[in-house]
Each structure stands twice: as structure tokens, then as C-alpha cells.
Amino acid sequence: MILSLLRIGIVAAVLLDRALTSGPTDEYRDSDLGQTSYYDNHNMDPAVVDSPEFGLLWKIPFNPQEQFYAKPLVYTPSAAGSNQIVFLASSQNWIRTLDAKTGALINSRQVRTPFLQSDIGCTDIPNTIGITGTPVIDPNTDIAYFYAKTYIPNFRTPGNTGTFNGVYYFYAVNVNTLQDVPGFPLLVDGSVADNDPRKYFVGGTILQRPSLLKVGNYVYAGFGGHCDLFNYTGTVLGIDITQQKVITNFATESGPNSRFTTNWQQNLGGGQAGIWMSGMGLASDGNRLFFVTGNGVGGENQGTPASGSSGCRTLGEAAVNLGIDTSSGKLNLVDYFQPYDYTNMDGGDQDFGSGGIVLLDPNTFHGGSVNRLGITAGKNGKIYVLNADNLGGYKQGPGQTDGIVQTIVTDKSIFGAVGSYPLEGGYMYATPIGYPTYVYKLSSDASGNPVFAGVGQTTEGSAGRVGAGVPTITTNKGQPGSAILWVTDPDAGLRAWYAVPQADGSMKRINLPQVGGINKFQRPTFGDTRLYTTDANGIIYCLGSPVNLPLNCSSPVNFGNVALGSASTVRVNCTALIDVTSINGVTVGDNSFQVSNASLPQGAVKKGTSFSFPVTWNLSTTVVSNQQNASFGNTSPGIKTTPLTILTTNAVQGYTTSFPLSLTGNEVSQNAYLSVTPNTVDFGGLVLNVSGEDPQSVLPFTIANLGLDALTILGYAYTYDEVDDDDANFINSTESASNFTWDLGLGFTASLPPLGRVVKPGESISVQTTFKAVNGTGSYLSYFFVYSDGGNQFTILEGEASTAPKANFSISNGEGGWLPDSNLLMDFGTVSPGGNVTRQIRICNVGGSVLLISKSKPPLGDIRAVNYGIDLHESQAIQVGDCAYGDVIFNPGPEPPNIPDFTDTNTWTLNVNDLSFGVHVVQMTGVVHDRVVGPEYANGSARYLYLGCYADTLPTRLLPNEPYVDTTNNTNQECQSACLKAGYAFAGTEYNQECWCGHNAPPGSQYHLESDEKCTFSCPGDVSQACGGNGGYISIYYDSSVFTPTNQTYNQSSTQPSGSGGGPQILQSVEGYNYIGCYSEGSNGRALSGKAPAAPQAGGSVEYCASQCAGFVYFGVEYANECYCGNTLNAGSNLVAGSDPTVTLCDMTCGGNSTEYCGGPNRLNMYQSNGTAESTSTTASNGAPTSTPGAPTNHQTRQEAILSLSSPVQQPARTTLTSERNMLTSVIAEIRCKLDLKQQRALWWAKSIEHVRSKSQCFSFVLVIVVTYNEHDGIKLNFR
């Protein structure tokens, strides 16, 4: 047959793509360009895999809580003599290379701090979100490309972390060194959509889950959302790796009918239509790019049919084809398919996009007018077979249904995609959640167009929860009969079967070494005779056969076509790789393959010696029956495979003594041979009484001639009785004169080949069969027979009909009862740290058919699902009359005493396939009430509140006064009482027995999170309390009547000068010094040469430098940890223009306090003495601080005058006054405002600015404010 030009181009693209592979057994990306999941280049011989010689070679664990959602890649670097490596990328943003044979670590690197799952609220990916999409390696350059999610502090909101400070970087690293390629990484945040300029990329709200796709010089990636939270739009980004820039941004929801808002917090605000596909990669044939989207909001298609070329801009629940402009990399919409019932899918959270799209091999999977097939499936229980050149648009089929090649209704949810095998007639595989892997074989309809019919299934089912991987098929060097089906499972680990079903539709299992439950949706990765996979605990496994083999033999041994009643003999050729003491014999898995041990070499076989022996496939006495209850041997023609194992005694230690190889051949019948597959056509369930719907299900079965002679169809009949009943009543099928369909039994009809139809040898006919519930609800069953001169066979037709599912939802009330179904609040009440309270969510099915949970996002944290991923999991089936439960526990972790009451919250998002149910977001709340120790207020609350655990490792103590030492009864309450009595605001316990008091708050640089577990020494008087920790850690409490902290930093009304929230800041004043700007270093030496104090072990800070330079006129901090003092500024040291640290280059944070800036390379944050006196405070009876001259510290003596400016000023300047009268001081204040020439009150600010470019532009300038104070005139402000 002459291929069309399109198919020739497709095949050429595939061949070119394969030619680029650096190593013949490499896997440098997630599957091939078309995402077919078929591999023929990894030497995976079923005779070896299905033998004791195949086992676990090594496994390696990594960091705690590290996960691998990106699959491992296997690659051979281009340098001569390079060994094959494994490239790993993790959720913690670690990348690693391992030796593919030994697992030895070669290189490792953490590219960025990972994004925290707690900042997004979605628990699909726990703990950290770093690299989650599988990278791609360019075999021409040894460069790996990937996206990493991380933070830019204060990028969009104050703080180092937070949802909206989340960003994505695009990385290019050399796999030999793991170092960045010059010009990378690229920050992609802010990229504007090509097809909707209103929309731009916000990395914090979006997730890069699909595997990357490289086409030419362009790398493409898909982005979706986190549990449909926040304002996001599905996106495809394209990077030109030569120009090192983003060259395309395609938004899946665009135009006036799409959702849009600038509120990042608003759920559904961007229209959704995310691209996640359970991690599947974007598919391509070289000039086109294909993907599938999930739920969307709004839509242009609202009932009126539209062609795929209509240019729909709201592409939620759609399979999409984008054209690639090969000259620019730009993407444009070419075609799409949107199911006719997509709005119902949206309502039930039945994501079309939970599965990716597969472009099948066009050499096999084509027919009639269809040159290439694309297959996709999702949560809604349908497999869609598409024409890749005409996807189908919207409502383009009969009766405004789907105008596609075929719809296979399974009523079973699929995450990931289907797998394919292009040999032996062509097969497709699908693994729904909680069900077996189903096998479909390619056939054709009456027009010659391709269709699939079910022909088998595995005995084993997948896990009853989300996570089964994409079915993956390997062959040994592309040989028919050597295909292995591999499926990963989150519970069972890795499974394998012979990929072609046996005559009865069963799948022969291959036993594998046990590995842990595989991380969800992964495909195994293959190298040279080895495979790699990672489990849910972050462990990578390598399985394979031993490297040390004694023989090298031809495998597989192919007998070709062998007719029934005949025999064929071939010779197996071997060469000894070592000295072999003896060949002890052979074993064969199928007795029809015959070997005589007498034909084997006798005695020793020297290294390098070649020998051969004959094997005969003897079918001379084989009787093949085409009856389905036949039980002997091979009962139908076709490809047969069996292992042959050579047993040896070796003269060299360390080599295997059993060498397996494969025997294969095609068993053929000289006569006509009828085959009807599958054995059972299960139509699943129809839901009746739904307004506006006429439910029916259409599935195919296949009539085929497996013989070498023509076959004639003689008749059709069916029975409702058991077929082996001698009294079974058969009814001849009849053809309707009105619509030319045949009766196949009650509820079943089909267009059958006419009687007398001749079926040519090797021909198969697909029969599309329709099931309609003509008698209403209930079970339907028919045994349908086909009669021919090549035998008789039957298939079982079965289906169910019922009314729609109906969900009843409720939350337990904690008293043995249930709240009304309208209540979505789960209130745990008040719980003490370490305590726990449980509640339940209950969903009952009060309808007439199976209720499926289509969305479930359970909580993690102190409020968490007890059985995460098990209770109320996605795709869980709730039978009629049954209920499913989800247990939730509120279990606050242990806390130090005197933590103020705080509220903990979480959510559980749920939806089901009851269209009247809608998304339920269960709001969960509970109050953590800590125990109270020490001095109390009149209402019983604690006066001294816990500030935190601090490292007391500076040259001077954090709290300098020690009122006592109590080695036997020390507690925090004893210490607090002692410090209160002495008038101190801070109390701290250290080293079990010590108590320390002070007036000054500890610096934030010394603070440690409770999770660091530094303060773990128990108090002698109460072992349930912590009194400091090993290494100089102190548990500090503060008097809440005189001090107000905010998250271990300090607010505007506090007395601590540093860390005022948000990101790093320029400290404006400290210890009698004022900030005067960013200065350059001197031209002939240091800017300040009076003193250079060494940095403390904890790192430098502005406060530390100020304390070391006391008495000098100036001090400056430089390069994060350096401190310099002096009385004059030396030559060449000048003020650097500007106030933005990124402009002045005074942009390095302090080594000992990341909330402050400490200069930069050859840049100093400079401070000048203001000559003010210092004093401290005591507490008056009302709790307010008052001045006490002569006290040793000064932090609480300063009163603040806030300079209040009118509208244009965003941040008021702060000036500091001492309590002395008639004091004149000058301070430098930075004012920022937004100029609006329409506001007259802003004009007087603009007059002193020479360079105002245009209105609505921000500007900065330095303003000197002279502040005078006296008791008659008060405060006067003069501006210079």
C-alpha cells in the first residue's frame, strides 16, 4: 500500500527522532514523541525477565520526604567511552546522576529552595513542590531541560515564601557536571499569553506536571492548577533554547467568553482548563503538538455544533491540536475535540484531562480515511479514539453526539493514558482505577476504518485509589512474540505480563521482585537489560539480569510460520564467554518445542568456543480447537513464545548457571479458523430517567479468520440459557427490514455481515453492537453464537440499567449523630497540644446506580485525613445503599506552655458524579488552647507568653541577668515570676537549671523553629516543659503587657529595630547610629580603616557591627558578614545613587540576620553616629514604659514620632526623638509616592523633582527632615 504524504511525513519524523538517540538503549525523555509507551530498544527478553535471573540489582534511598514525580531518565553522554547514567530530578529540587549499572552517585545538586505544599493548600503533592514534570535531555548537546518551582522573596507579597512569591525557573544543565548552561536558568513568571494579553504567568498558582517535550530548538511544557485553587489558566510555554527566551505562551482559556480577574486569590478566576494529564507528556508528530485539558469555567460551545477548525477559545475539557511554527516556535490552534457532554463533565469534576493523549504508530494503527489515531481517556469512564488529523470539534456526530472514530464506554476512570503495541496486529491497553488492565485489539469496520475490540484482561486489578501508571510495552529488538506489558501500581509496586492475551483472553503473569508502592502515574524507565522506577518513599530501584553470563546465544530463536500438522527445526547458536566445565541440559516451557540433551556439547567448553544444537517445534500431533471450553495447550493459531534455559557448570566463579533465551513462532492453520473476541462484551451500566437523554452503549466485538483458507459465515443465533445445557433454547437472529440491524438478544442489536459472507484469511471484521435497556432497569444477558465452516464460537453480551446515583452528605457532630447535609463546617472545638479529636465525613448512595467520587482533596497537617489517599479517594465507587466514610483527626503537636490560643483550619474538597451534588468544600476548624504557667492576668490568661527557642551563642548573653540557679525544681513559671519581680520584660530558661532575665528582645538571627528541636532539655521541676537545649539554646518568654512581637519579628510599635516583617530591609537606625546610604569602597584601601571586627560564628548583622564600633563616628557592613569602623571616610568612598538595593548593589543579606541588608561586593551599608544619649525604661503601674536615665540599655526608652504624609506617600518615614527637650536632630528619610497629576495635593511633591517622566510613574528621592521639639511649640518639621 502506498502511504499518504502525511503518513510518510509522520514516519520520517519518528525515524528522525529515534536517530537522535545518543545510546541505542537510552531513554532520554518520557516515552517517544507520540507518547505511545512502546519500546523496542532495551533488550528486554521475556525469557530472561520471566526467570530467576531477573532480579533486584540495587536500590537507593534519598532525603526524608523527597519524592520523584518526574520519572528517571537513562542516557549515555556523548563523550567516547561514557557509561550509561540515570538522571533524577525530585520534588525537593535536587538533581542527581547515578551510574546506571551500579547505582553509584556521580553528581548531585539542589538547584533552588523548593516551594512548600503548605503555601498552596492542595495535598496532591505533599511537603514540597520542586521539579514535578519529567525533564528532557538533548542527545546532541548532553543538556537536560526542566522546570523548578521555588520562591523569590518579596516578589509579589511581603515575605520569603507565600503562594504569590512562588515562581518557575526553566533550567538547562550539563548532565556531565549538573552545572547551569550559560544564560540559564530563565525566570518565566510574568510571560504574557499570546492569545490573550490580559493573562500572564503567575508561578505560585500553577503547576508544571506534564513531561517536557522538545521539538527542534524548542522545549514545550504544559501547566495546570493546584486542586483547582486560585486564579489560574492552563498554559503551554515554549522556550527557544538557542535564543534563551520564552517564545510562546498559549492560554487554554482566552477571549471575551473566558473568565478573567486580577484577584489571584479567586478560585476559578482564570477559567481553569489546566494541562496536567497525570504527568503524561505533550504528544507530537514533529509539526503539531497535542494535549488534553481538565475542567473549565464558561465556554463558547453552549449547544450549537462547531467544527474543530472553528477556533474555539475556551478549551476546557478538550483534546487540543496546536500547530508549531518551525521557524519561530510559536503555537496556534489548529483543531480540537470537546465531548458533547463536557458541561456535565465539568459539573461532576470528571476531568477529561486526567489522562493524556497518545498518537499511535501510523504504520499499524490506520485504515480507511484515517491515517493516524489519537487516543485519550479520563475520569468519565470513556476511551475516545480520535482521528489525529480531524479531532472532531463539538457535537459533530449523529444526533449532535461526538463525531470521532470510536467511543469505548467503560464507566471506569483512567488517570494517565493508554499504552500501545504496534506488532502482532496492534493492541491498546488501559488500566482504570481499581480494575484490571484491559486489552483491546485493532480491527476495522465495514468502511475499513480502524476500531478496537476488547480481547482480554489481567486477573489482577490496580489499586483502588489514584496512581496506577501508564501501561508500557517492551519487545526484545522488535521481535513479535517478545512483548511484555508493564504496569506500575501505588500498592502492588511493579507488575508484568506477556502482552498478547492467551486464547481465553487471560494474561500470563510474569513474577517480578517486590518493590515498594510506586509513586503515582509513573512509567518504568528502561536502560540496557535493566529497568528503573521510584517508589512513594523516594527510593529508586534497578531491576535486571546479572551482568555475568557464561554464554552468548542467539535470542529470540524465531521459527517463522509453522502449520498445524507439521514440524520445523532451527539451530540455536552459542559462544562460550568463559571456560564452562559442562553443559548439563536444557529445559523448555512448552512441550511442543523439543530438544535432545544428546545434541548438546559433551564435556568442557573452552572460552571462545562456538557450538549449536537443534530445536524442533513439533505441531504434527497438535489438535487445535476453536471451542471456548477447550483446555489443552494452544487452542488457537497465532504467535507462540516459550523460554528455553541452558544449564551450565562454570569453571569461573560469579557467573550464572542458568542461561534463558526465547523461542518464538507463528502457529498457523491451513484451514479456515473462526475467532470471535472478546469472550465477554460488558456494556456496563446505563443510567435511566435522566431528562433529555436516551441512554445507550456501543461496543465492538470481532469476527476473524485466523486460518489460511477462506471462511464462510453460515448463521447467527442466541440463547439466554447456559451454553453447556443440553436443553438450551437457541433463537435464530433476524435482520430488521427497517434499519438493517440484527437482533442479538433482548436489548442488543448490531449490523452483522450478511450470511454467506466470505472472510479472507487473516481478515477481521469489527461488529459495533448497541445495548439499550428496552425493558427498563435490570440485568440483560445474551449468549450470541456465530456459525461458520471454520468452526462455531460465541461471545457473552451483558449490561445493566438503573436510575442515577444520588449522594447524601453529612458530617458527624462528635456526639454520635450527624449534622444536616447542608452543613459544611467541621468544628473540632478546643483541643490541647498533643490531644486529639476525631470527626467523620459520610457520603451515602441513595440512588439507583454506582456513585463515584470524582474529586477528593483530603487535608494534611494538624487537621488531617486519618487514612490519606484511602478514605473517600478519587474514583472510589459507592454501591447502591452503601456509605463511604472519611475519618478526620485534629491532633495539634506538642507546644511549649503559654502559647496564645490560635485557630487551626483546613479543608476537604469533594465531588461525585451526582450532577446535583456540586463541589463540596468542607471547612475544618479547631482552637488550640495551651496550658498556662507562671504569672497570670485577672482573667486567668498567661502574662508571659512564649517567644521562641534562641541560640544563646553571641559574645554577650541574650538575657544578661541571672536571678537564681535551681538544679532540682526549675520551671519556666519559677523563672517568669523571678524576672517579673525584678522588673524584666524577658525571661528565659537554659541548660535545665538556669534562669535568665533581660530588657532587650533577642535578635531574630538567633531564632530557631520548634521543628528544629533545639530546645529539648526538660525542666527539673516539670519534665513536660523545655528549659533550653544542648549547645546553648534558651527558651524565652516575654511580658505581654510591655512587649508585642509578630512571628518572632517585630511590628511598628515594638522596640526591636530589625526584622519589621516582609523581606530583608535596610535598618534605618541602631544603637545611636543612623543609616546614611550605600557607599562604595575606598579607591586606595578600605573606606573605613579604624577597626575591622571579626564576624561572629553566627554570622554578621548590623546590630553586631554597631556594638563593635561603639565610639567611632562611622561603621559599615559589607559582603554579608564584614564589619568596619572609622572616624573618617577615606578617599574614593562615595555615596552610590539610588535607594533600591538591587540598583546600588548593597543587596546582600546579613549572614546572621537574613531580615537585614549588609552591603555587597565592594559596597557598604554606612551608618553615622547621631550623638544621642541612651537610657532604658521601667514599667509604670499602667504597664506603659517610662524613661529612667542612667539604666544600662536603651531599646525601650525611645518614643517614636510618625511622620504622617498625605495620599501619595505609601510608607511614612520614621524619626526618632529622645526625651530631652530642645533637641535638634536631622535624619534621612526615604519617601516613595505614586505621582498622579490629576491630584493637586500631589503637585507640591513634584516641584522638587527634576526628572518626572510621565504621570502614574513611581519615583524615589532623598529628603532631609529637620525635626525640632520644645514644650511650647511641639514638633516642627522642616523639609530640605
Side-chain angles (χ1 to χ4, degrees):
M1 178 181 293
I2 299 176
L3 295 174
S4 69
L5 291 176
L6 176 60
R7 283 183 54 218
I8 291 174
I10 292 171
V11 172
V14 172
L15 292 176
L16 175 62
D17 175 65
R18 290 181 178 175
L20 291 175
T21 306
S22 178
T25 59
D26 287 348
E27 190 175 335
Y28 59 87
R29 64 180 168 213
D30 185 13
S31 195
D32 55 0
L33 279 178
Q35 293 291 305
T36 65
S37 278
Y38 170 62
Y39 306 91
D40 62 1
N41 61 319
H42 298 289
N43 300 318
M44 302 305 291
D45 189 335
V48 176
V49 176
D50 193 10
S51 77
E53 302 309 310
F54 192 84
L56 177 65
L57 300 182
W58 49 263
K59 67 176 183 179
I60 300 173
F62 294 101
N63 298 331
Q65 298 185 332
E66 187 171 18
Q67 298 282 308
F68 295 92
Y69 294 93
K71 66 177 277 186
L73 298 178
V74 176
Y75 179 66
T76 305
S78 57
S82 296
N83 293 328
Q84 198 170 59
I85 63 172
V86 178
F87 181 87
L88 286 171
S90 83
S91 64
Q92 293 182 355
N93 277 338
W94 279 94
I95 54 175
R96 300 178 177 89
T97 50
L98 313 177
D99 185 284
K101 287 185 178 180
T102 66
L105 180 66
I106 301 171
N107 283 307
S108 65
R109 174 192 173 200
Q110 188 177 34
V111 297
R112 293 270 174 171
T113 301
F115 187 90
L116 299 176
Q117 173 267 325
S118 57
D119 274 343
I120 205 73
C122 172
T123 55
D124 279 350
I125 298 177
N127 305 314
T128 57
I129 304 170
I131 305 167
T132 51
T134 300
V136 60
I137 300 173
D138 184 350
N140 295 315
T141 61
D142 289 358
I143 296 174
Y145 298 98
F146 56 89
Y147 281 89
K149 187 161 186 170
T150 183
Y151 298 100
I152 296 179
N154 307 299
F155 188 54
R156 294 187 175 98
T157 57
N160 291 328
T161 60
T163 303
F164 304 115
N165 288 332
V167 297
Y168 268 103
Y169 283 95
F170 177 76
Y171 273 86
V173 301
N174 187 306
V175 297
N176 299 289
T177 64
L178 299 187
Q179 296 306 303
D180 294 334
V181 174
F184 292 94
L186 304 178
L187 177 66
V188 299
D189 272 61
S191 304
V192 178
D194 300 335
N195 53 336
D196 194 332
R198 303 173 301 166
K199 299 189 175 185
Y200 57 94
F201 191 97
V202 179
T205 64
I206 208 163
L207 174 66
Q208 201 287 296
R209 189 67 177 92
S211 305
L212 270 60
L213 168 70
K214 181 179 179 294
V215 180
N217 291 327
Y218 313 117
V219 175
Y220 298 97
F223 293 81
H226 292 277
C227 297
D228 290 339
L229 299 175
F230 302 102
N231 171 0
Y232 81 91
T233 305
T235 300
V236 179
L237 282 187
I239 305 291
D240 186 323
I241 57 176
T242 57
Q243 298 187 58
Q244 299 183 338
K245 67 177 184 179
V246 177
I247 42 85
T248 192
N249 177 336
F250 182 89
T252 55
E253 292 274 337
S254 63
N257 292 314
S258 68
R259 287 279 186 93
F260 174 74
T261 176
T262 57
N263 179 2
W264 298 330
Q265 291 277 10
Q266 184 174 327
N267 293 347
L268 317 183
Q272 301 179 294
I275 307 168
W276 74 284
M277 304 189 299
S278 298
M280 275 280 293
L282 309 176
S284 178
D285 59 11
N287 296 311
R288 301 177 295 178
L289 181 154
F290 295 79
F291 59 85
V292 188
T293 62
N295 297 334
V297 181
E300 293 180 0
N301 291 329
Q302 294 295 325
T304 303
S307 70
S309 59
S310 61
C312 179
R313 290 172 293 182
T314 52
L315 295 168
E317 307 281 22
V320 181
N321 168 8
L322 301 182
I324 301 174
D325 185 333
T326 56
S327 64
S328 67
K330 291 284 188 182
L331 300 174
N332 59 87
L333 179 63
V334 174
D335 192 10
Y336 75 96
F337 163 65
Q338 203 165 40
Y340 76 92
D341 56 349
Y342 83 95
T343 55
N344 292 342
M345 294 162 63
D346 277 338
D349 274 306
Q350 295 180 331
D351 280 1
F352 192 19
S354 68
I357 187 168
V358 175
L359 300 179
L360 300 184
D361 186 339
N363 293 299
T364 298
F365 299 97
H366 67 274
S369 60
V370 180
N371 287 313
R372 183 157 197 172
L373 291 176
I375 299 184
T376 185
K379 291 183 187 178
N380 67 333
K382 295 179 181 179
I383 299 174
Y384 297 89
V385 182
L386 310 177
N387 182 345
D389 303 321
N390 180 13
L391 291 179
Y394 172 64
K395 289 192 172 183
Q396 295 292 291
Q400 296 191 6
T401 57
D402 295 332
I404 61 177
V405 175
Q406 183 184 9
T407 302
I408 303 174
V409 179
T410 67
D411 293 323
K412 302 171 179 67
S413 298
I414 292 177
F415 289 71
V418 302
S420 67
Y421 172 44
L423 306 182
E424 302 185 55
Y427 291 84
M428 180 258 288
Y429 306 80
T431 307
I433 302 304
Y435 291 93
T437 295
Y438 294 92
V439 187
Y440 303 84
K441 188 171 184 180
L442 179 68
S443 184
S444 59
D445 62 15
S447 301
N449 290 319
V451 292
F452 287 90
V455 294
Q457 65 184 59
T458 61
T459 303
E460 304 83 0
S462 70
R465 58 191 179 98
V466 170
V470 179
T472 303
I473 297 85
T474 60
T475 57
N476 185 18
K477 303 171 185 175
Q479 289 290 327
S482 66
I484 302 174
L485 166 66
W486 310 81
V487 177
T488 61
D489 190 88
D491 289 344
L494 181 66
R495 288 170 168 165
W497 299 264
Y498 289 88
V500 176
Q502 300 183 93
D504 60 357
S506 64
M507 301 288 288
K508 184 182 178 183
R509 176 78 180 268
I510 297 175
N511 293 318
L512 297 176
Q514 184 62 48
V515 300
I518 306 301
N519 212 1
K520 57 186 180 182
F521 312 133
Q522 274 208 11
R523 284 183 272 211
T525 302
F526 298 91
D528 186 4
T529 71
R530 290 175 290 274
L531 71 81
Y532 308 85
T533 190
T534 57
D535 71 8
N537 295 314
I539 299 173
I540 182 171
Y541 297 82
C542 174
L543 277 63
S545 57
V547 176
N548 299 326
L549 300 174
L551 303 173
N552 180 21
C553 297
S554 53
S555 179
V557 178
N558 197 334
F559 286 81
N561 294 333
V562 180
L564 290 167
S566 67
S568 177
T569 300
V570 298
R571 297 193 72 84
V572 177
N573 299 307
C574 299
T575 301
L577 300 178
I578 60 170
D579 288 341
V580 176
T581 303
S582 63
I583 306 292
N584 301 325
V586 298
T587 61
V588 185
D590 185 333
N591 290 333
S592 63
F593 292 90
Q594 299 168 353
V595 184
S596 171
N597 285 336
S599 65
L600 299 173
Q602 304 299 309
V605 181
K606 292 294 184 181
K607 177 180 178 180
T609 301
S610 295
F611 63 92
S612 65
F613 58 92
V615 180
T616 299
W617 191 13
N618 188 357
L619 300 177
S620 59
T621 60
T622 300
V623 178
V624 177
S625 169
N626 62 352
Q627 301 303 315
Q628 288 178 315
N629 59 355
S631 59
F632 170 77
N634 299 314
T635 60
S636 66
I639 299 291
K640 310 300 176 186
T641 300
T642 195
L644 179 150
T645 303
I646 304 173
L647 307 176
T648 65
T649 298
N650 302 322
V652 181
Q653 296 295 319
Y655 287 77
T656 182
T657 57
S658 59
F659 179 82
L661 53 90
S662 292
L663 306 177
T664 186
N666 187 19
E667 183 180 296
V668 297
S669 171
Q670 297 288 359
N671 302 317
Y673 189 96
L674 173 67
S675 169
V676 177
T677 54
N679 294 338
T680 301
V681 183
D682 185 352
F683 291 88
L686 298 180
V687 177
L688 307 183
N689 303 329
V690 177
S691 177
E693 292 190 8
D694 181 21
Q696 64 181 30
S697 178
V698 179
L699 287 176
F701 66 86
T702 299
I703 299 173
N705 179 9
L706 303 184
L708 299 181
D709 197 4
L711 177 147
T712 301
I713 296 176
L714 303 177
Y716 305 112
Y718 60 87
T719 181
Y720 303 123
D721 300 324
E722 293 185 10
V723 295
D724 55 358
D725 187 344
D726 292 339
D727 296 325
N729 179 34
F730 283 88
I731 304 168
N732 287 327
S733 295
T734 57
E735 184 178 17
S736 169
S738 60
N739 57 14
F740 304 103
T741 61
W742 291 72
D743 170 28
L744 277 63
L746 184 66
F748 304 102
T749 59
S751 296
L752 294 170
L755 299 182
R757 165 76 149 83
V758 175
V759 184
K760 291 182 264 186
E763 182 183 3
S764 63
I765 303 170
S766 179
V767 178
Q768 296 293 110
T769 308
T770 300
F771 166 51
K772 295 189 70 171
V774 294
N775 275 4
T777 60
S779 299
Y780 292 76
L781 173 68
S782 174
Y783 299 95
F784 176 71
F785 278 75
V786 179
Y787 300 90
S788 77
D789 60 358
N792 309 323
Q793 279 210 338
F794 71 90
T795 185
I796 303 172
L797 309 176
E798 59 185 27
E800 294 279 340
S802 59
T803 56
K806 182 69 177 176
N808 179 275
F809 176 89
S810 49
I811 297 172
S812 65
N813 62 9
E815 299 174 354
W818 298 90
L819 298 171
D821 58 6
S822 59
N823 188 308
L824 294 180
L825 177 65
M826 180 179 285
D827 190 348
F828 290 92
T830 299
V831 181
S832 299
N836 66 81
V837 174
T838 58
R839 296 283 189 270
Q840 277 189 319
I841 297 173
R842 180 181 68 183
I843 301 178
C844 296
N845 183 3
V846 296
S849 55
V850 174
L851 183 72
L852 295 176
I853 298 176
S854 56
K855 172 175 281 188
S856 180
K857 308 301 179 185
L860 286 173
D862 287 348
I863 299 178
R864 62 185 180 275
V866 175
N867 299 303
Y868 179 86
I870 299 175
D871 289 353
L872 302 181
H873 63 80
E874 288 187 359
S875 299
Q876 182 173 343
I878 306 173
Q879 300 300 320
V880 175
D882 284 352
C883 297
Y885 298 85
D887 293 332
V888 184
I889 188 171
F890 181 27
N891 178 212
E895 300 278 1
N898 295 8
I899 297 287
D901 286 2
F902 63 93
T903 300
D904 207 342
T905 62
N906 217 323
T907 61
W908 194 329
T909 302
L910 291 156
N911 204 351
V912 296
N913 65 336
D914 172 4
L915 297 182
S916 65
F917 187 76
V919 177
H920 279 45
V921 181
V922 181
Q923 302 290 337
M924 303 172 178
T925 183
V927 175
V928 181
H929 177 71
D930 204 359
R931 57 179 167 164
V932 173
V933 302
E936 299 178 5
Y937 290 113
N939 62 5
S941 61
R943 178 166 176 171
Y944 275 81
L945 301 180
Y946 184 64
L947 185 64
C949 178
Y950 287 78
D952 197 1
T953 55
L954 297 179
T956 58
R957 282 197 171 275
L958 299 182
L959 305 179
N961 303 292
E962 186 176 26
Y964 68 83
V965 172
D966 187 345
T967 59
T968 57
N969 295 305
N970 190 37
T971 60
N972 286 293
Q973 55 263 42
E974 181 184 12
C975 184
Q976 294 163 19
S977 297
C979 293
L980 178 63
K981 183 177 180 180
Y984 291 104
F986 297 90
T989 52
E990 188 172 352
Y991 204 70
N992 302 101
Q993 60 194 14
E994 299 173 0
C995 172
W996 297 91
C997 309
H999 290 296
N1000 296 332
S1005 60
Q1006 301 301 101
Y1007 172 73
H1008 285 266
L1009 296 170
E1010 293 302 307
S1011 59
D1012 293 343
E1013 297 184 352
K1014 296 297 185 181
C1015 288
T1016 56
F1017 280 170
S1018 60
C1019 301
D1022 183 353
V1023 294
S1024 67
Q1025 298 180 32
C1027 283
N1030 186 37
Y1033 290 91
I1034 182 171
S1035 304
I1036 297 182
Y1037 295 76
Y1038 66 93
D1039 185 345
S1040 60
S1041 69
V1042 297
F1043 184 77
T1044 306
T1046 304
N1047 295 333
Q1048 285 76 51
T1049 58
Y1050 302 89
N1051 62 18
Q1052 296 287 354
S1053 63
S1054 79
T1055 57
Q1056 177 69 16
S1058 66
S1060 58
Q1065 299 180 1
I1066 298 173
L1067 204 59
Q1068 297 297 318
S1069 62
V1070 58
E1071 302 289 348
Y1073 288 85
N1074 293 332
Y1075 179 65
I1076 61 173
C1078 176
Y1079 278 71
S1080 63
E1081 265 292 6
S1083 56
N1084 294 309
R1086 293 287 181 187
L1088 300 173
S1089 55
K1091 181 181 178 183
Q1097 184 176 359
S1101 67
V1102 177
E1103 295 91 341
Y1104 170 76
C1105 192
S1107 68
Q1108 297 298 305
C1109 294
F1112 286 92
V1113 175
Y1114 300 97
F1115 79 83
V1117 284
E1118 182 175 355
Y1119 208 70
N1121 289 301
E1122 298 174 7
C1123 172
Y1124 299 98
C1125 320
N1127 291 320
T1128 59
L1129 294 177
N1130 294 328
S1133 179
N1134 298 306
L1135 178 66
V1136 179
S1139 59
D1140 186 342
T1142 62
V1143 174
T1144 64
L1145 301 183
C1146 281
D1147 59 353
M1148 297 183 70
T1149 57
C1150 302
N1153 187 347
S1154 61
T1155 68
E1156 303 170 355
Y1157 283 113
C1158 278
N1162 295 313
R1163 292 288 191 274
L1164 297 90
N1165 284 109
M1166 192 72 72
Y1167 293 82
Q1168 182 178 10
S1169 173
N1170 61 23
T1172 57
E1174 296 183 346
S1175 59
T1176 191
S1177 67
T1178 59
T1179 303
S1181 59
N1182 63 359
T1186 61
S1187 177
T1188 305
T1193 58
N1194 72 333
H1195 282 299
Q1196 293 184 334
T1197 66
R1198 296 179 176 177
Q1199 302 175 32
E1200 296 179 332
I1202 303 300
L1203 174 62
S1204 179
L1205 300 175
S1206 58
S1207 176
V1209 178
Q1210 295 176 337
Q1211 175 64 47
R1214 301 179 61 194
T1215 61
T1216 303
L1217 301 178
T1218 63
S1219 59
E1220 285 80 11
R1221 299 177 181 178
N1222 301 317
M1223 181 68 193
L1224 174 66
T1225 184
S1226 295
V1227 296
I1228 303 297
E1230 179 182 319
I1231 311 290
R1232 286 187 175 90
C1233 69
K1234 182 165 286 187
L1235 180 63
D1236 186 345
L1237 296 180
K1238 294 180 180 180
Q1239 297 185 33
Q1240 295 300 314
R1241 60 182 178 178
L1243 289 178
W1244 69 278
W1245 292 106
K1247 289 178 181 177
S1248 63
I1249 308 300
E1250 295 180 359
H1251 303 289
V1252 178
R1253 291 179 288 179
S1254 65
K1255 68 178 183 180
S1256 299
Q1257 296 236 1
C1258 288
F1259 61 90
S1260 298
F1261 62 98
V1262 175
L1263 184 68
V1264 177
I1265 308 168
V1266 178
V1267 185
T1268 60
Y1269 171 87
N1270 61 57
E1271 61 184 352
H1272 299 293
D1273 300 321
I1275 295 176
K1276 288 185 178 181
L1277 306 177
N1278 295 306
F1279 298 84
R1280 295 178 182 173

